[in-house]
Amino acid sequence: MRIDQITFSRFIAAVAIVIYHYGQEISIFSNEYVSMLLHKAYIGVSYFFILSGFVMVIAYHQRGKINILSYLKNRIARVYPVYALALLVLILLTFFRNFNLENLIYYLLMIQSWIPDKATALNYPAWS
């Protein structure tokens, strides 16, 4: 099932988050009206997660009983390759600055957010 209004709303939230992180210095986003909205764009993260969870509940509810192991295997197969690629690109682009083998292990195992002060040690958005 596809709900176009929710998909568009998630798109707007994702764009606001990207602009919040990377585009605030661009002149079109730095005027007083737009910048006022962008200073609260971090709220879009929670909004995006809530809508994504809602979409997943609708999608999986239609399937009936869910096999948890199958679900986890599919989610990892979908998320982990892009996650690992982003980590590799980040390490290469920063020329191994702030590189620490312990942090890398936490990030490869995707447990950095469970350990205080490690959630933003390498790849800031990976906490989510």
Side-chain angles (χ1 to χ4, degrees):
M1 176 180 199
R2 182 180 168 107
I3 304 173
D4 290 331
Q5 294 86 352
I6 290 178
T7 302
F8 181 72
S9 181
R10 287 174 63 214
F11 170 76
I12 295 297
V15 167
I17 294 163
V18 169
I19 293 169
Y20 174 78
H21 284 292
Y22 302 109
Q24 289 188 28
E25 302 302 319
I26 298 172
S27 62
I28 193 170
F29 302 121
S30 63
N31 70 58
E32 65 180 285
Y33 304 109
V34 177
S35 66
M36 176 185 66
L37 292 172
L38 291 178
H39 286 298
K40 301 293 183 189
Y42 60 88
I43 296 169
V45 174
S46 298
Y47 182 72
F48 185 82
F49 284 160
I50 289 168
L51 284 180
S52 297
F54 179 73
V55 168
M56 288 179 70
V57 166
I58 289 174
Y60 281 97
H61 176 70
Q62 292 177 342
R63 294 181 180 181
K65 189 174 180 182
I66 300 170
N67 180 333
I68 293 176
L69 289 177
S70 176
Y71 168 80
L72 289 174
K73 183 176 74 172
N74 290 337
R75 291 301 294 171
I76 290 170
R78 187 173 183 181
V79 172
Y80 195 79
V82 174
Y83 174 87
L85 178 64
L87 186 60
L88 175 67
V89 168
L90 177 78
I91 290 171
L92 293 174
L93 287 177
T94 58
F95 303 108
F96 295 91
R97 277 182 278 154
N98 299 329
F99 181 78
N100 177 322
L101 185 59
E102 178 185 5
N103 289 341
L104 180 62
I105 291 170
Y106 292 145
Y107 274 79
L108 288 173
L109 295 174
M110 299 176 85
I111 61 171
Q112 73 278 3
S113 295
W114 301 348
I115 301 162
D117 301 324
K118 298 296 182 184
T120 58
L122 289 176
N123 187 2
Y124 301 134
W127 66 266
S128 63

